[in-house]
Amino acid sequence: DVKVTQSSRYLVKRTGEKVFLECVQDMDHENMFWYRQDPGLGLRLIYFSYDVKMKEKGDIPEGYSVSREKKERFSLILESASTNQTSMYLCASSRRDTQYFGPGTRLTVL
Amino acid sequence: QKEVEQDPGPLSVPEGAIVSLNCTYSNSAFQYFMWYRQYSRKGPELLMYTYSSGNKEDGRFTAQVDKSSKYISLFIRDSQPSDSATYLCAMNPLDAGGTSYGKLTFGQGTILTVHP
């Protein structure tokens, strides 16, 4: 069965903190994605990766960075969290056409 | 203009109703079409997947694609309260070499509520 896991379901951080969100997939998928989801704005792609150590910017990369040192793991980093980064963060993986999502991390930045 | 436009809803129907969810798109490169269902506070889960024009059925769900009109629909028959969720359409283009890399373009989502 397809499995994408995210390190936390809920996270509360303070403005200026460095935040790490981790995503792990067990399907040997090449492609991994990070999205944020906000009411009225839908899913917005932050970064994606086609292979280990490869990354490409999505639609809203500002304020974020990513790391993919192993095929199964894709990390999203908020270098200095701000209140406008309060959101639901979703990780997904795919081999070809369809994406499989993790349960999401609801991040609140105070 | 957005590449994918989805009827925003919200949609509220009685149990047993037939539900129609719709998306239009503008990019002719889109070749793969998906519907995701997302329950509150959960990640989206793949519901239906198709790549050709026409209808595809899976139980109470039918996905319809009309590439000539750039229009896709999801029909839910005999809707149940457990169908209450946000439904997202998603599309995937092929590049010039005919390869799909799994990068999807999503609609905004339609919130559906089915009342008992």
Side-chain angles (χ1 to χ4, degrees):
Chain A
D1 211 13
V2 166
K3 198 78 185 282
V4 179
T5 57
Q6 294 183 229
S7 50
S8 307
R9 291 300 308 276
Y10 300 93
L11 210 52
V12 179
K13 295 291 181 181
R14 299 226 173 258
T15 303
E17 280 193 79
K18 191 168 186 175
V19 182
F20 292 88
L21 302 180
E22 297 244 296
C23 175
V24 178
Q25 51 98 359
D26 65 358
M27 297 160 287
D28 200 36
H29 284 170
E30 290 84 10
N31 311 317
M32 296 188 75
F33 306 82
W34 274 107
Y35 296 89
R36 62 178 285 177
Q37 186 176 34
D38 302 286
L41 297 176
L43 280 166
R44 292 183 291 168
L45 182 64
I46 304 171
Y47 267 97
F48 59 103
S49 169
Y50 290 144
D51 202 349
V52 174
K53 296 194 186 296
M54 292 181 66
K55 60 185 179 184
E56 292 204 28
K57 293 179 180 179
D59 301 317
I60 51 162
E62 297 79 19
Y64 303 95
S65 62
V66 290
S67 172
R68 192 158 180 209
E69 296 296 318
K70 293 185 178 181
K71 190 175 187 179
E72 67 271 18
R73 190 178 297 268
F74 192 34
S75 301
L76 180 70
I77 303 150
L78 287 66
E79 294 289 341
S80 178
S82 63
T83 54
N84 63 11
Q85 292 179 310
T86 291
S87 186
M88 170 73 126
Y89 288 88
L90 289 160
C91 173
S93 74
S94 76
R95 176 169 287 116
R96 283 179 58 84
D97 309 317
T98 55
Q99 290 184 15
Y100 298 91
F101 285 86
T105 296
R106 187 164 293 278
L107 172 67
T108 302
V109 182
L110 302 175
Chain B
Q1 184 192 1
K2 292 178 184 173
E3 282 190 299
V4 179
E5 298 273 3
Q6 182 170 358
D7 289 351
L11 212 52
S12 181
V13 301
E15 184 174 355
I18 296 174
V19 175
S20 172
L21 304 166
N22 307 296
C23 289
T24 58
Y25 62 96
S26 56
N27 188 349
S28 299
F30 289 138
Q31 295 293 325
Y32 297 92
F33 305 92
M34 283 138 273
W35 286 95
Y36 285 83
R37 177 176 62 196
Q38 185 177 21
Y39 290 116
S40 182
R41 299 187 185 88
K42 299 280 180 68
E45 58 176 330
L46 181 65
L47 195 58
M48 297 284 285
Y49 164 77
T50 184
Y51 55 86
S52 57
S53 282
N55 293 350
K56 181 178 180 179
E57 277 192 34
D58 184 0
R60 296 185 294 109
F61 299 90
T62 300
Q64 185 178 81
V65 174
D66 182 347
K67 289 186 180 180
S68 61
S69 301
K70 297 189 178 67
Y71 190 90
I72 70 169
S73 297
L74 178 70
F75 298 97
I76 307 174
R77 291 186 300 280
D78 187 25
S79 56
Q80 303 294 309
S82 59
D83 295 328
S84 298
T86 298
Y87 289 81
L88 298 152
C89 64
M91 307 180 189
N92 190 2
L94 293 177
D95 69 4
T99 302
S100 165
Y101 289 100
K103 186 183 172 195
L104 301 180
T105 300
F106 287 87
Q108 294 275 62
T110 302
I111 299 173
L112 170 68
T113 303
V114 181
H115 296 286

